[in-house]
């Protein structure tokens, strides 16, 4: 094996001998793309975009942290039991300046959803920062968080690579029981099931590979092994006599993976206790594979942390190449989606008084326009006010028909019907000097019409007015919510003002019903031709209903019945239209006009204008969402730019 060290630019040298080498071609071609992918992922867009990544998986306590330490040059939390309790995105970026200081940043959301962002000044701070993050992201040592830690590090001794470290698969927890395994598996599956994700499975050499759950989980997500890389750790712990079996695994003979295996030797517990540094560990690893009786037989491209880092680099490069077109299309779609949402949010609230006035004027104009459209009842009007009220005036029409005195239609059945007592009494009481059968029946028809029909309609008409008023109020409130919903104080002012105006118009409509329409309807009136047409039709129906027998000469009661039926037909049709017309005129037309005037008065009246303007404050969630959308759109724009520059 060639054990010489290679610097970050691929040149041999001793300045960074302890670190894995990455080619300058990689940095120049893919680093900008990888940076953008990291930014997109840190903004939570990994669920919407197929972002290439390397996910590190393994059973609990198999040495994942040791592998990450060896690759990154920083120490991660170690211990027994569950150490990694959430996904950790490790973004490493090489700094070309050999004198540049190491720099890190860790960010995450705590259990309360608060964003935590912390600067790190040395690699030694990483361990404590990650432990603190996991404590603040969960409620206990054995809880798994679905949130992600973002750890970015940059320095002259850091490779160019991004990895996602996932919690180890725990078979059992003292507090979580066996259910903890299912939780960790579900979290791992969420990542590794994505076809653009490279799966880095960490397997201890001294463990029966057939029992490694992480490998089984990887095979479920990647049955053909096309995107899985096996990492064999702890080769120094292989039992004597088992070396040949381990070699079969390393040579991809036992459980073959298309991308094969890489064997690495990280710091052992003994070396950790003895204070062996990461730099010294790299040298020890090279010596181990050079001198080991069995593992020195492995080819150079199958052993060592440096080999693993280079292999991950190449595979990530290929993954980006395969997915770049799809990613570009997805970004275009997402930019369109976010731009549409940003447009729906509208412009941010202005600061100056004149700008606020213009902003409010536009909103009030939109409110007035929507109210006018709703009350005009055009087809496909958004709030369907006419459809809501139609059921009420249909029911009113039925109530008007039901208000007829029941005896009026009895004469249809037989010529010899018995008039009700009130009719015969009125004929007797109101008769003057008229001869028998020549009495005047019109006053009786008029009286019965008013007392037994018209007076019964006042309550249904009042109820109809109230129902329409309620429907109009509800729709006006919906329109106000649509236009002013993001400004609660303004919404309340507009709805309160609208309620006041609707109440005023309601009184006008009520007065019109009782003071005009019903007084007008109390005057019995019909065109002669129309009334006579109804009389003729009644007599025709009576003749047919009595076996075409010629009816006898009608007496006073029959003439009253026929005359009242004919007039009730005329009045019923008229009232079924005029009551709704009166109500709709006031509650639709007058309300729309009054609201339009009153809404604009809020900006023109000096007493209310200043107060009204002061209420124009945008809700925090809307301001935050607009800011978030703009940030994500900028990241997507930059990503699109860098992806377009990417040369396959």
């Amino acid at each position: 094996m060639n054990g010489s060290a290679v610097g970050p630019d691929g040149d041999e040298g001793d300045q960074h001998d302890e670190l894995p080498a990455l080619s300058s071609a990689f940095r120049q071609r893919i680093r900008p793309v990888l940076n953008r992918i990291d930014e997109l992922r840190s903004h939570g867009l990994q669920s919407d975009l197929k972002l290439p990544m390397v996910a590190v998986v393994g059973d609990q306590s198999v040495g994942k942290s040791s592998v990450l330490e060896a690759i990154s040059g920083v120490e991660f939390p170690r211990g027994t039991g569950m150490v990694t309790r959430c996904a950790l995105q490790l973004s490493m970026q090489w700094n070309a300046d050999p004198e540049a200081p190491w720099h890190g940043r860790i960010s995450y959301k705590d259990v309360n959803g608060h964003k935590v962002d912390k600067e790190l000044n040395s690699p030694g701070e990483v361990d404590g920062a990650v432990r603190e993050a996991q404590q603040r992201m969960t409620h206990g040592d054995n809880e798994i968080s679905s949130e992600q830690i973002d750890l970015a590090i940059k320095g002259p001794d850091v490779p160019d690579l991004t990895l996602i470290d996932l919690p180890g698969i725990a078979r059992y927890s003292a507090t979580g029981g066996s259910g903890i395994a299912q939780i960790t598996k579900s979290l791992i599956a969420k990542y590794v099931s994505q076809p653009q994700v490279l799966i880095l499975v960490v397997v201890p050499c001294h463990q029966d590979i057939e029992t490694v759950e992480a490998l089984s989980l990887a095979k479920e997500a990647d049955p053909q092994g096309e995107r899985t890389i096996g990492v064999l750790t702890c080769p120094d712990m292989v039992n004597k006599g088992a070396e040949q079996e381990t070699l079969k695994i390393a040579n991809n003979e036992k459980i073959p993976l298309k991308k094969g295996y890489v064997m690495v030797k990280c710091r052992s517990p003994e070396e950790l206790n003895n204070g062996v540094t990461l730099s010294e560990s790299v040298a020890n690893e090279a010596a181990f594979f050079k001198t080991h009786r069995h593992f020195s037989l492995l080819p150079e491209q199958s052993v060592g942390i440096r080999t693993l880092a280079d292999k991950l680099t190449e595979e990530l490069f290929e993954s980006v190449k395969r997915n770049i077109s799809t990613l570009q299309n997805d970004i275009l779609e997402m930019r369109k989606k976010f731009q549409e949402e940003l447009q729906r949010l509208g412009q941010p609230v202005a600061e100056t008084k004149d700008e606020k006035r213009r902003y409010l004027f536009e909103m009030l104009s939109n409110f007035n326009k929507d109210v006018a459209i709703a009350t005009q009842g055009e087809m496909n009007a958004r709030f369907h006010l006419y459809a809501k009220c139609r059921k009420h005036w249909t029911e009113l029409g039925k109530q008007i028909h039901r208000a007829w005195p029941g005896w009026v239609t009895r004469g249809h059945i037989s010529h010899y019907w018995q008039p009700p007592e009130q009719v015969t009494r009125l004929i007797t009481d109101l008769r003057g000097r008229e001869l028998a059968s020549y009495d005047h029946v019109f006053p009786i028809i008029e009286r019965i019409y008013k007392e037994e029909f018209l007076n019964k309609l006042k309550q249904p008409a009042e109820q109809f007015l109230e129902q329409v008023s309620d429907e109009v109020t509800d729709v006006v409130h919906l329109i106000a919510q649509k236009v002013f919903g993001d400004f609660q104080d303004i919404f309340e002012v507009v709805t309160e003002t609208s309620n006041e105006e609707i109440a005023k118009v309601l009184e006008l409509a009520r007065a019109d019903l009782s003071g005009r329409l019903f007084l007008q309807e109390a005057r019995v009136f019909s065109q002669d031709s129309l009334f006579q047409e109804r009389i003729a039709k009644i007599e025709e129906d009576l003749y047919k209903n009595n076996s075409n027998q010629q009816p006898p000469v009608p007496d006073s009661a029959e003439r009253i019945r026929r005359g009242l039926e004919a007039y009730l037909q005329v009045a019923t049709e008229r009232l079924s239209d005029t009551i709704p017309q009166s109500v709709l005129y006031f509650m639709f037309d007058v309300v729309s006009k009054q609201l339009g005037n009153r809404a604009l008065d809020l900006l023109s009246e000096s007493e209310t204008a200043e107060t009204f303007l002061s209420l124009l404050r945008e809700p925090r969630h809307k301001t935050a969402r607009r800011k978030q959308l703009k940030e994500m759109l900028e990241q997507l724009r930059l990503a699109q730019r860098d992806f377009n520059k990417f040369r396959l």
Side-chain angles (χ1 to χ4, degrees):
M1 283 180 54
N2 182 1
S4 62
V6 184
D9 286 320
D11 301 325
E12 293 191 6
D14 57 4
Q15 189 169 3
H16 304 297
D17 283 357
E18 70 276 12
L19 297 171
L22 298 171
S23 67
S24 59
F26 170 79
R27 291 198 311 275
Q28 294 171 1
R29 297 177 63 185
I30 202 174
R31 186 66 250 180
V33 174
L34 202 58
N35 287 345
R36 292 301 163 208
I37 290 174
D38 292 346
E39 287 290 339
L40 295 175
R41 192 179 293 115
S42 68
H43 278 78
L45 296 174
Q46 67 270 17
S47 59
D48 300 295
L49 297 172
K50 296 179 176 62
L51 302 176
M53 68 177 82
V54 178
V56 184
V57 300
D59 293 2
Q60 186 173 293
S61 304
V62 296
K64 290 194 296 93
S65 296
S66 299
V67 173
L68 291 177
E69 285 178 351
I71 292 176
S72 66
V74 298
E75 295 188 5
F76 285 88
R78 289 171 172 269
T80 58
M82 191 183 302
V83 179
T84 304
R85 292 186 280 127
C86 61
L88 183 147
Q89 175 181 292
L90 174 60
S91 302
M92 298 167 280
Q93 187 173 359
W94 176 73
N95 195 323
D97 182 1
E99 303 300 324
W102 184 96
H103 178 263
R105 176 185 291 274
I106 188 169
S107 58
Y108 54 90
K109 288 183 179 179
D110 63 18
V111 289
N112 297 316
H114 299 142
K115 184 71 179 291
V116 179
D117 207 339
K118 184 178 180 181
E119 298 283 341
L120 304 176
N121 297 313
S122 72
E125 297 179 30
V126 172
D127 184 335
V130 172
R131 290 182 186 273
E132 179 187 0
Q134 293 188 138
Q135 289 293 336
R136 296 182 64 175
M137 293 170 69
T138 59
H139 294 95
D141 291 342
N142 290 289
E143 182 182 339
I144 298 291
S145 173
S146 59
E147 295 292 335
Q148 175 179 292
I149 297 175
D150 292 321
L151 175 62
I153 60 176
K154 183 176 182 179
D157 297 335
V158 173
D160 271 309
L161 194 60
T162 297
L163 304 172
I164 303 290
D165 183 28
L166 299 172
I169 300 174
R171 291 179 174 80
Y172 186 84
S173 165
T175 57
S178 57
I180 199 71
Q182 187 56 46
I183 295 174
T184 54
K185 286 180 182 179
S186 297
L187 179 61
I188 293 168
K190 185 177 77 170
Y191 283 85
V192 301
S193 60
Q194 302 174 57
Q196 77 280 5
V197 174
L198 294 169
I199 308 171
L200 188 65
V201 183
V202 180
V203 181
C205 289
H206 60 287
Q207 184 176 334
D208 183 0
I209 195 170
E210 302 282 357
T211 67
V212 175
E213 287 201 57
L215 191 57
S216 299
L217 196 61
K219 289 182 71 175
E220 289 179 14
D222 180 28
Q224 304 302 318
E226 295 179 344
R227 52 190 179 89
T228 303
I229 302 172
V231 181
L232 302 174
T233 63
C234 309
D236 52 324
M237 297 178 67
V238 174
N239 294 329
K240 288 185 178 181
E243 293 90 351
Q244 290 301 322
E245 192 69 18
T246 303
L247 283 174
K248 287 182 181 180
I249 298 171
N251 287 321
N252 212 18
E253 296 173 4
K254 189 167 184 178
I255 299 182
L257 301 173
K258 290 189 177 179
K259 298 189 182 299
Y261 295 83
V262 177
M263 184 181 290
V264 298
K265 181 188 177 302
C266 303
R267 289 184 294 178
S268 66
E270 182 181 358
E271 289 175 323
L272 284 169
N273 292 333
N274 293 333
V276 174
T277 65
L278 288 169
S279 301
E280 293 169 340
S281 175
V282 173
N284 292 343
E285 181 193 48
F288 174 83
F289 286 118
K290 188 174 183 179
T291 60
H292 194 278
R293 177 183 173 185
H294 299 280
F295 300 144
S296 61
L297 301 176
L298 290 169
E300 186 179 72
Q301 62 268 26
S302 297
V303 297
I305 282 292
R306 180 178 290 109
T307 298
L308 176 61
D310 285 342
K311 186 176 185 67
L312 292 176
T313 295
E314 294 167 5
E315 294 294 346
L316 191 58
F317 181 81
E318 292 300 320
S319 178
V320 171
K321 284 172 60 177
R322 286 193 302 272
N323 291 282
I324 194 75
S325 296
T326 301
L327 196 53
Q328 286 175 308
N329 292 333
D330 289 346
I331 286 176
L332 284 174
E333 287 299 316
M334 184 154 286
R335 289 181 71 181
K336 180 181 177 182
K337 172 185 170 184
F338 287 164
Q339 284 165 349
E340 289 174 351
E341 183 181 353
L342 189 62
Q343 188 174 10
R344 287 195 299 272
L345 286 175
Q347 293 298 319
V349 177
E351 294 298 328
T352 68
K353 187 179 295 185
D354 287 342
E355 289 174 338
K356 283 186 175 183
R357 189 180 297 276
R358 284 194 295 270
Y359 192 90
L360 273 172
F361 180 81
E362 182 178 352
M363 285 199 296
L364 290 168
S365 298
N366 290 336
F367 172 74
N368 292 341
K369 180 181 177 182
D370 284 351
V371 170
I373 291 173
T375 54
Q376 287 166 5
E378 297 295 334
M379 188 174 181
N380 297 324
R382 176 174 180 179
F383 297 99
H384 308 293
L385 183 55
Y386 263 76
K388 295 175 188 292
C389 293
R390 182 171 285 109
K391 60 183 179 182
H392 300 307
W393 72 61
T394 300
E395 177 59 28
L396 175 67
K398 294 177 182 178
Q399 289 178 308
I400 292 174
H401 277 281
R402 289 196 294 265
W404 280 34
W407 57 268
V408 172
T409 56
R410 277 187 221 144
H412 287 185
I413 302 172
S414 172
H415 295 316
Y416 305 103
W417 67 285
Q418 184 65 36
E421 182 182 349
Q422 68 266 33
V423 174
T424 57
R425 187 175 65 248
L426 284 172
I427 292 173
T428 301
D429 292 347
L430 297 180
R431 181 181 175 185
R433 62 187 184 88
E434 298 91 348
L435 297 174
S437 299
Y438 287 91
D439 47 315
H440 191 44
V441 300
F442 177 75
I444 299 175
I445 293 174
E446 185 175 39
R447 185 164 178 172
I448 294 173
Y449 166 74
K450 292 178 182 178
E451 293 178 357
E452 297 190 33
F453 176 72
L454 191 60
N455 287 345
K456 292 181 181 179
L457 299 185
K458 292 181 179 179
Q459 190 277 329
E462 176 71 22
Q463 182 183 23
F464 172 66
L465 173 59
E466 294 286 350
Q467 290 169 334
V468 172
S469 176
D470 290 343
E471 296 288 4
V472 170
T473 301
D474 289 344
V475 166
V476 168
H477 285 191
L478 287 173
I479 294 173
Q481 180 65 42
K482 167 181 171 271
V483 177
F484 308 104
D486 290 328
F487 307 94
Q488 186 61 31
D489 293 337
I490 293 179
F491 168 76
E492 291 176 1
V493 170
V494 171
T495 52
E496 182 179 350
T497 302
S498 299
N499 291 345
E500 293 172 356
E501 294 302 316
I502 292 172
K504 292 176 184 177
V505 177
L506 178 61
E507 290 305 313
L508 292 175
R510 186 176 286 119
D512 183 69
L513 280 179
S514 60
R516 180 192 64 83
L517 192 143
F518 276 97
L519 288 178
Q520 177 179 294
E521 284 297 327
R523 181 187 295 275
V524 175
F525 174 84
S526 175
Q527 293 286 349
D528 291 347
S529 59
L530 181 60
F531 182 73
Q532 290 168 352
E533 180 184 325
R534 299 303 171 97
I535 288 287
K537 184 68 170 62
I538 290 170
E539 292 176 349
E540 179 184 345
D541 291 343
L542 184 62
Y543 179 71
K544 291 178 181 178
N545 291 339
N546 287 272
S547 303
N548 297 327
Q549 295 179 9
Q550 189 65 34
V553 176
D555 58 12
S556 296
E558 175 62 12
R559 287 159 58 205
I560 290 169
R561 189 198 67 76
R562 295 182 191 181
L564 185 59
E565 181 180 1
Y567 190 69
L568 285 176
Q569 290 179 8
V570 173
T572 295
E573 291 183 6
R574 186 169 63 228
L575 287 166
S576 295
D577 290 337
T578 55
I579 293 175
Q581 283 181 322
S582 173
V583 170
L584 297 184
Y585 167 73
F586 281 97
M587 301 316 301
F588 282 20
D589 301 338
V590 177
V591 163
S592 177
K593 182 178 179 181
Q594 291 296 101
L595 289 184
N597 294 336
R598 189 70 187 93
L600 294 179
D601 285 345
L602 293 172
L603 276 179
S604 60
E605 295 176 357
S606 58
E607 295 181 2
T608 60
E610 291 299 322
T611 303
F612 198 51
L613 288 173
S614 68
L615 298 178
L616 189 59
R617 297 184 297 270
E618 187 171 63
R620 292 180 181 177
H621 76 272
K622 188 174 181 180
T623 304
R625 181 57 177 166
R626 183 184 290 105
K627 179 182 178 183
Q628 182 186 35
L629 285 171
K630 288 183 177 180
E631 290 175 352
M632 290 192 293
L633 279 169
E634 177 62 11
Q635 290 301 326
L636 290 169
R637 184 191 69 80
L638 294 173
Q640 192 73 45
R641 181 198 66 184
D642 290 340
F643 292 173
N644 289 337
K645 293 179 180 178
F646 180 68
R647 303 185 305 278
L648 299 179

